[in-house]
Amino acid sequence: MAQYSKVAPTPLLKDELDIVIPTIRNLDFLEMWRPFFQQYHLIIVQDGDPSKVIKVPEGFDYELYNRNDINRILGPKASCISFKDSACRCFGYMVSKKKYIFTIDDDCFVAKDPSGKDINALEQHIKNLLSPSTPFFFNTLYDPYREGADFVRGYPFSLREGIPTAVSHGLWLNIPDYDAPTQLVKPLERNTRFVDAVLTIPKGTLFPMCGMNLAFNRELIGPAMYFGLMGDGQPIGRYDDMWAGWCMKVICDHLGLGVKTGLPYIWHSKASNPFVNLKKEYKGIYWQEELIPFFQSATLPKDCTTVQGCYLELSKQVKAKLGKDDDYFIKLADAMVTWVEAWDELNPVGGKAVEANGVVAK
Ligand SMILES: O=c1ccn([C@@H]2O[C@H](COP(=O)(O)OP(=O)(O)O[C@H]3OC[C@H](O)[C@H](O)[C@H]3O)[C@@H](O)[C@H]2O)c(=O)[nH]1
Ligand SMILES: [Mn+2]
């Protein structure tokens, strides 16, 4: 009689991936994700009042950082980490020691596919990240590396190897990630359309990156995943992930790294207040008409061969070209430099660990 192993398979990248969650509330939402997340390490970035106690369900392996921790670990460089905005999540990317990151909002739940099966969003992101991207030539049958698909006739064989994938951008059923004006005009609109596809975003094309269901290869693109200066004391909010996505895509195109969007879906449960969102977003809605042409025309010199080098060059261009539009971009450009300095301090190339108390090992 064949013996079948009763031991559950080890989850993919179990010890190579951290799950980063920005939060201002108790993390009961993890109960629904337990079957998919429990074997992974969580990095919880607690925003807002550090004296508030965030309850984490039993059985999860996690580290939690509040504002006091961020200030203690980064000192004056903590100024680059946003306060009272989900942008604070990027601190989790910086302190992680793992190769991969998956970040998810605490109002995102397990969605079901059309067959009614629970979607393991983390597993799909990992598949996306572990298979190549094809940004140089569009494959009309979508992801050619997927089971049951391939490159179609006319696709150059010289391009079929693809390039490494740096970012996997997932989508949302129920509450779509609309901006405030769209939310106001269509308050009852829900996304019920499950599109069974993963696409590589072509080289030279920007896109609106949403941070609520996102994964990336931290070793390939981590230093570019800065979510900017948002929230408290800043003239703008809810453009954290957009800023990061535009900077990241310019750098990925320059370095030959791929970005995918599509599966997996999560179930986004909470529509935030459109009036509050409008107040946070309105400058971004106006500025983005300038910002997007800036990023579309941004070029990086050949001698920018590292993510940090590309990012610092981009920050110089932000200061020179956008700084004249608003002083905020001068502040943001400086914060981009601070972010890279802090990243390199916590992630020295020599690989020396940063002590648990945040002191960089000698
Ligand atoms: O001051 C804050 C507010 C919230 N958070 C945490 O961020 C996550 C997103 O918050 P929420 O779901 O309430 O807002 P949404 O409008 O749905 O967020 C979307 O738009 C803004 C961002 O781009 C975000 O990534 C999008 O998902 C959630 O985990 C809150 O607990 C916070 O840390 N600080
Ligand atoms: Mn939300």
Side-chain angles (χ1 to χ4, degrees):
M1 175 73 165
Q3 284 298 319
Y4 295 100
S5 157
K6 291 195 175 50
V7 178
T10 306
L12 278 172
L13 303 180
K14 173 176 168 307
D15 300 319
E16 295 177 84
L17 180 141
D18 279 337
I19 298 174
V20 174
I21 304 165
T23 195
I24 50 175
R25 41 184 82 101
N26 292 332
L27 295 177
D28 307 327
F29 90 115
L30 285 172
E31 277 309 341
M32 193 173 191
W33 288 104
R34 190 182 289 276
F36 303 139
F37 289 4
Q38 182 148 15
Q39 302 226 35
Y40 292 89
H41 180 66
L42 311 180
I43 296 179
I44 300 161
V45 183
Q46 177 185 342
D47 194 16
D49 177 4
S51 66
K52 179 177 172 173
V53 175
I54 297 288
K55 291 198 186 78
V56 182
E58 288 294 314
F60 285 95
D61 168 50
Y62 69 92
E63 55 198 281
L64 184 144
Y65 297 94
N66 63 28
R67 193 67 208 188
N68 295 335
D69 299 315
I70 294 171
N71 293 338
R72 172 174 50 77
I73 292 168
L74 295 185
K77 293 192 178 69
S79 61
C80 76
I81 302 297
S82 299
F83 185 55
K84 292 191 180 170
D85 187 284
S86 62
C88 64
R89 73 174 84 217
C90 62
F91 180 74
Y93 311 159
M94 186 190 282
V95 289
S96 169
K97 294 285 163 276
K98 303 288 177 56
K99 181 171 181 181
Y100 299 95
I101 295 285
F102 169 53
T103 188
I104 184 170
D105 290 3
D106 60 21
D107 65 341
C108 295
F109 293 86
V110 176
K112 291 187 182 301
D113 70 17
S115 74
K117 185 171 171 257
D118 281 353
I119 297 169
N120 183 344
L122 182 50
E123 186 184 58
Q124 181 62 49
H125 276 303
I126 291 172
K127 283 181 187 164
N128 292 350
L129 290 172
L130 294 183
S131 64
S133 292
T134 55
F136 306 125
F137 199 83
F138 188 76
N139 191 55
T140 48
L141 199 55
Y142 312 116
D143 182 356
Y145 304 104
R146 191 174 173 185
E147 195 63 33
D150 211 318
F151 292 98
V152 294
R153 179 169 52 87
Y155 201 99
F157 281 84
S158 60
L159 294 176
R160 294 195 183 196
E161 194 178 346
I163 62 169
T165 300
V167 174
S168 170
H169 177 262
L171 298 172
W172 344 272
L173 291 173
N174 194 39
I175 310 285
D177 186 20
Y178 285 166
D179 51 45
T182 309
Q183 260 185 298
L184 284 165
V185 166
K186 308 169 105 176
L188 303 180
E189 184 148 297
R190 298 293 178 266
N191 180 29
T192 58
R193 189 180 304 118
F194 178 96
V195 176
D196 184 8
V198 177
L199 296 175
T200 292
I201 300 175
K203 177 173 179 170
T205 301
L206 297 173
F207 75 109
M209 184 174 83
C210 171
M212 75 170 108
N213 171 22
L214 183 72
F216 59 90
N217 182 320
R218 192 174 161 278
E219 288 181 358
L220 288 180
I221 200 65
M225 295 299 273
Y226 175 46
F227 273 41
L229 283 178
M230 301 283 153
D232 197 42
Q234 307 302 339
I236 184 173
R238 290 172 55 84
Y239 269 79
D240 51 321
D241 38 10
M242 299 300 143
W243 182 263
W246 295 330
C247 292
M248 173 276 293
K249 188 61 169 60
V250 166
I251 294 172
C252 280
D253 286 349
H254 176 75
L255 295 179
L257 299 171
V259 179
K260 292 178 183 175
T261 188
L263 299 178
Y265 284 89
I266 50 85
W267 180 268
H268 185 208
S269 70
K270 196 179 64 66
S272 39
N273 182 309
F275 293 102
V276 172
N277 290 346
L278 187 54
K279 265 170 52 184
K280 294 179 179 178
E281 288 173 17
Y282 79 93
K283 284 204 172 212
I285 293 173
Y286 171 75
W287 280 339
Q288 69 189 9
E289 299 305 332
E290 284 268 315
L291 296 179
I292 288 166
F294 163 77
F295 283 104
Q296 281 170 330
S297 59
T299 53
L300 297 169
K302 275 207 173 50
D303 63 359
C304 283
T305 54
T306 64
V307 177
Q308 287 90 328
C310 293
Y311 205 75
L312 292 174
E313 172 59 30
L314 214 41
S315 73
K316 278 188 207 136
Q317 295 182 29
V318 165
K319 182 173 269 192
K321 296 182 181 171
L322 300 175
K324 58 185 183 315
D325 295 343
D326 194 290
D327 288 349
Y328 170 70
F329 293 105
I330 295 172
K331 204 165 71 163
L332 181 54
D334 291 340
M336 290 167 75
V337 175
T338 306
W339 159 264
V340 169
E341 289 170 349
W343 180 283
D344 287 344
E345 206 172 282
L346 267 62
N347 299 280
V349 172
K352 290 194 210 72
V354 174
E355 306 294 340
N357 60 8
V359 173
V360 178
K362 291 278 176 282

